[in-house]
């Protein structure tokens, strides 16, 4: 399908950006990269590389900022018992990941994601700041600035539990794809703020099954996390979600095949 024929580039997914020619239902998003099967560190360069090798439609990762304003890839507010937002980057990288990698920066992660990659969107989760809402907005702007400097806009989409972070990004970028994670707003509500997708825990959609149709009717993309059990996978596949975030991308690929 030619990109000009897409219903709305803001709301549909590309081969790179969650706005693509050739939209695929049930696209697999590897949660913190594809790490589990090969026992790789979560959020590592190696996990990202494996997700790309698997041709996952997306590889999710988490961004936090150090006390000296370095953007690093780490899920938790702490790393090796050090609070990231209170620690300098040089002190964090004294401790290696389990495979010998150092804690990657956002720049390093994106540069790796640009290599030999024609399939996989970088799904960038900006973690809420534990310091203040204002610092969270500052982190968001710094992340977007880094992505733009590396000319990676076409392979990056943003997600967050902090709604204000997404609104801050929308203020500086009218076109990028945004997905909200918290699960406390309906698809119609996020559309009012020009948020292009909802990315909720599957239990939210089981509690509000009407939101599935509401999202589709309003051209809000549907993502769901973190889906690791076969029964949950099958339910989501049958309901034709756009994307499924999982720690088990290989298993999910097999389930999708059986449903075709």
């Amino acid at each position: 399908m030619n990109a000009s024929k897409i219903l709305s580039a803001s709301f549909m997914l590309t081969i790179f950006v969650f706005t693509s020619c050739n939209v695929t239902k049930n696209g697999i998003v590897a949660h913190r990269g594809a790490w589990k099967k090969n026992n790789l560190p979560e959020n590592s360069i190696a996990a990202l590389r494996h997700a790309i090798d698997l041709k996952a439609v997306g590889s999710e990762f988490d961004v936090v900022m150090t006390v000296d304003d370095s953007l690093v890839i780490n899920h938790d507010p702490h790393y090796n018992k050090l609070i990231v937002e209170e620690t300098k980057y040089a002190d964090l990288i004294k401790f290696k990941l389990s495979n010998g990698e150092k804690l990657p920066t956002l720049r390093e992660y994106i540069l790796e994601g640009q290599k030999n990659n024609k399939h996989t969107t970088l799904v960038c989760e900006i973690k809420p700041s534990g310091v203040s809402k204002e610092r969270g907005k500052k982190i968001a702007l710094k992340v977007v600035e880094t992505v733009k400097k590396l000319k990676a806009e076409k392979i990056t989409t943003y997600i967050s539990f902090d709604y204000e972070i997404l609104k801050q990004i929308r203020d500086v970028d009218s076109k990028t794809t945004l997905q909200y994670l918290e699960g406390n707003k309906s698809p119609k509500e996020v559309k009012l703020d020009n948020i292009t997708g909802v990315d909720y825990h599957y239990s939210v959609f089981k509690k509000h099954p009407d939101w599935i149709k509401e999202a589709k009717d309003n051209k809000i993309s549907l993502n769901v996390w973190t889906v690791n059990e076969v029964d949950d996978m099958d339910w989501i596949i049958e309901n034709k979600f756009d994307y499924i975030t999982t720690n088990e991308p290989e298993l999910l690929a097999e389930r999708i095949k059986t449903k075709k």
Side-chain angles (χ1 to χ4, degrees), residues 14-16 52 54-58 116-121:
T14 71
I15 218 165
F16 275 116
I52 293 170
L54 290 174
K55 298 183 180 180
V57 76
N116 302 315
N117 178 14
K118 296 181 179 179
H119 316 278
T120 305
T121 300

Side-chain angles (χ1 to χ4, degrees), residues 16-251:
F16 275 116
V17 184
F18 287 22
T19 40
S20 160
C21 37
N22 201 17
V23 174
T24 303
K25 294 294 181 185
N26 300 319
I28 298 171
V29 178
H31 183 233
R32 305 178 199 167
W35 54 271
K36 187 172 182 180
K37 186 174 182 179
N38 294 330
N39 198 30
L40 300 169
E42 299 176 23
N43 274 321
S44 63
I45 295 289
L48 169 62
R49 189 75 256 157
H50 189 46
I52 293 170
D53 291 343
L54 290 174
K55 298 183 180 180
V57 76
S59 185
E60 185 265 357
F61 62 99
D62 306 282
V63 178
V64 290
M65 190 165 76
T66 65
V67 72
D68 53 350
D69 292 350
S70 291
L71 297 169
V72 296
I73 311 305
N74 193 62
H75 176 266
D76 296 332
H78 50 81
Y79 173 71
N80 204 67
K81 300 182 180 179
L82 298 171
I83 298 174
V84 175
E85 289 193 284
E86 297 178 2
T87 306
K88 292 182 178 180
Y89 177 66
D91 292 325
L92 291 175
I93 62 172
K94 293 175 182 177
F95 304 95
K96 301 290 187 181
L97 301 180
S98 62
N99 67 342
E101 287 183 29
K102 75 177 182 64
L103 188 69
T105 63
L106 177 62
R107 183 178 185 277
E108 291 165 342
Y109 206 85
I110 291 173
L111 288 173
E112 182 65 33
Q114 291 174 316
K115 295 177 185 176
N116 302 315
N117 178 14
K118 296 181 179 179
H119 316 278
T120 305
T121 300
L122 304 181
V123 183
C124 177
E125 179 177 345
I126 303 175
K127 307 299 287 187
S129 172
V131 176
S132 68
K133 285 283 188 181
E134 288 307 308
R135 190 170 195 270
K137 292 179 182 180
K138 176 183 175 181
I139 294 169
L141 291 175
K142 191 172 177 65
V143 169
V144 173
E145 179 185 10
T146 301
V147 169
K148 289 185 175 182
K149 278 184 178 179
L150 296 174
K151 298 181 179 179
E153 300 101 308
K154 290 184 178 181
I155 64 166
T156 306
T157 189
Y158 302 99
I159 63 177
S160 187
F161 282 95
D162 188 327
Y163 203 66
E164 295 306 310
I165 280 176
L166 297 179
K167 289 172 69 176
Q168 179 69 77
I169 295 173
R170 181 56 76 222
D171 285 344
V172 298
D173 191 328
S174 63
K175 295 181 180 179
T176 194
T177 302
L178 306 173
Q179 295 183 342
Y180 184 46
L181 292 169
E182 184 62 42
N184 59 353
K185 291 181 181 290
S186 70
K188 285 183 180 178
E189 288 178 286
V190 303
K191 185 175 184 178
L192 290 174
D193 288 314
N194 201 18
I195 307 301
T196 47
V198 290
D199 182 2
Y200 295 161
H201 189 266
Y202 57 86
S203 63
V204 173
F205 293 109
K206 289 190 174 183
K207 183 178 179 180
H208 299 283
D210 54 305
W211 283 6
I212 300 172
K213 184 177 186 301
E214 184 177 310
K216 293 175 181 178
D217 289 346
N218 284 277
K219 298 185 177 67
I220 295 295
S221 66
L222 279 167
N223 198 345
V224 61
W225 57 267
T226 300
V227 186
N228 300 320
E229 301 299 327
V230 167
D231 288 348
D232 296 319
M233 289 177 180
D234 289 351
W235 181 82
I236 292 159
I237 293 167
E238 288 162 6
N239 278 279
K240 295 185 168 75
F241 279 67
D242 298 301
Y243 318 108
I244 307 174
T245 301
T246 180
N247 292 332
E248 303 275 6
E250 298 89 352
L251 173 61

